[in-house]
Amino acid sequence: FSMITVNVDKAKGIAHEVRRAKRTEEFAPLDVKATIPSEATAAEEARAAIRAKYATIQADIDAAADVATLKTIVEGL
């Protein structure tokens, strides 16, 4: 039997796809609220918090040295 090896760079690409999908999912309700004048400011503040959260996750994915770390990051999304 041969060992199965995982290409960490490709795994990072997949992790980024998952991250982007989750970020889009979180943004969806705020995209609508941002068009309502009375809710626009609060929506933009919430969007800024989401952007900051996912910027940190992006950096964590880029810094991951192995698949186990990537799996932990993705499972936390």
Side-chain angles (χ1 to χ4, degrees), residues 11-23:
K12 285 181 182 184
I14 293 167
H16 280 304
E17 288 175 18
V18 172
R19 174 189 55 81
R20 284 190 286 274
K22 292 288 188 179
R23 182 177 183 244

Side-chain angles (χ1 to χ4, degrees), residues 11-42:
K12 285 181 182 184
I14 293 167
H16 280 304
E17 288 175 18
V18 172
R19 174 189 55 81
R20 284 190 286 274
K22 292 288 188 179
R23 182 177 183 244
T24 298
E25 191 178 295
E26 285 191 44
F27 264 130
L30 298 172
D31 290 341
V32 174
K33 289 184 177 188
T35 64
I36 302 168
S38 62
E39 297 183 30
T41 301

